[in-house]
Amino acid sequence: MARPHPDRVRTRALDFWLARSAIACVAGLQLLIVNDFSLGPRWLAPALELALLLPLSVATAWNQGRARRATTDAHWAEVHRHYRLIRRMALFMTALVTVANTAALVALVHALLNGKAAGGSTLLVDALNIWGTNVVIFALWFWTTDRGGAALRGHPNAGVPDFLFPQMTFGSAEARAQFVPGFVDYLFLAFTNATAFSPTDTLPLTARAKLLMMAEALVSLLTVALVAARAVNILA
């Protein structure tokens, strides 16, 4: 029986391209680290990320095309199965980026505390780089984990929301039900959490969301309060 159901998955291409662009941006930032704070050769982590990004982008675009053509329950079951596999691959890539950025932060703090940093100016540049990378990384974490991931967030049977966005609390019941956050919403959430070290207009609802926000705030606090402040003191 033909049952087209456009709400079963999200196929809005812009969000997916913004997320893939974010990975490319992170790879570029990692190459711009001034001091030698990378795990292995400087090019290794960016190369691995870009190598994963290409098949992930192709698989996402292919499955979105399948979703737009799906008409039966069997078709939708295959689409959902492939989205779950793609999501796992995206989570693995995000974890890889997180490990690389955390290693850079640990190496930077270690160099600073042991007096091995090349100079205040390079410390400041690397601190800003790590802070910006941290914002993008956690935007990806939020975007990938909330309500089962980006593709299934609009599904009528999607999981419990991890975040309470303002659009989910005002307006008509229909408008609240139709609101589905996009990548920019999660990027804004990550940016405000990294600058305020706390929720602003969007609240975490689940333990997973709270732990992710705590981790991001901790990295941001270390970068801003310890590394950047010390770099400014060295410059002075």
Side-chain angles (χ1 to χ4, degrees):
M1 180 176 62
R3 293 179 59 187
H5 199 320
D7 291 332
R8 293 195 176 198
V9 294
R10 296 187 70 208
T11 57
R12 193 167 68 187
L14 177 60
D15 266 2
F16 291 94
W17 282 114
L18 286 174
R20 306 305 173 237
S21 299
I23 291 291
C25 176
V26 166
L29 288 172
Q30 290 171 334
L31 290 173
L32 293 175
I33 289 285
V34 178
N35 295 279
D36 186 18
F37 295 144
S38 58
L39 288 173
R42 184 188 299 269
W43 53 265
L44 180 60
L48 289 174
E49 291 154 11
L50 294 176
L52 288 171
L53 179 61
L54 180 59
L56 182 60
S57 300
V58 172
T60 301
W62 173 75
N63 210 39
Q64 285 180 322
R66 286 169 55 92
R68 286 189 287 268
R69 296 189 300 271
T71 56
T72 67
D73 287 338
H75 292 163
W76 286 114
E78 279 297 301
V79 168
H80 283 212
R81 186 174 69 86
H82 284 105
Y83 267 129
R84 285 191 289 270
L85 293 174
I86 292 169
R87 181 170 178 260
R88 289 171 190 167
M89 185 177 177
L91 287 171
F92 174 77
M93 183 168 59
T94 307
L96 174 65
V97 176
T98 304
V99 169
N101 197 55
T102 303
L105 175 62
V106 170
L108 181 56
V109 173
H110 183 267
L112 187 150
L113 294 178
N114 287 277
K116 297 179 181 178
S121 59
T122 62
L123 276 180
L124 185 56
V125 169
D126 285 346
L128 291 173
N129 189 319
I130 292 171
W131 184 89
T133 303
N134 184 54
V135 170
V136 177
I137 287 172
F138 279 92
L140 289 166
W141 275 119
F142 300 153
W143 183 75
T144 308
T145 57
D146 187 22
R147 280 188 271 182
L152 303 182
R153 211 159 8 247
H155 192 288
N157 297 322
V160 176
D162 290 282
F163 299 99
L164 180 66
F165 288 88
Q167 295 91 331
M168 298 163 62
T169 61
F170 62 82
S172 65
E174 182 181 359
R176 295 197 301 269
Q178 289 180 350
F179 171 72
V180 180
F183 183 77
V184 173
D185 296 298
Y186 295 103
L187 181 62
F188 179 76
L189 169 61
F191 179 82
T192 54
N193 187 51
T195 52
F197 309 118
S198 64
T200 52
D201 67 335
T202 302
L203 300 176
L205 300 178
T206 64
R208 175 175 60 186
K210 292 174 183 179
L211 289 172
L212 284 173
M213 292 189 74
M214 286 171 59
E216 184 195 12
L218 177 61
V219 173
S220 182
L221 182 63
L222 285 173
T223 306
V224 174
L226 176 62
V227 181
R230 180 65 181 276
V232 172
N233 288 336
I234 293 175
L235 287 173

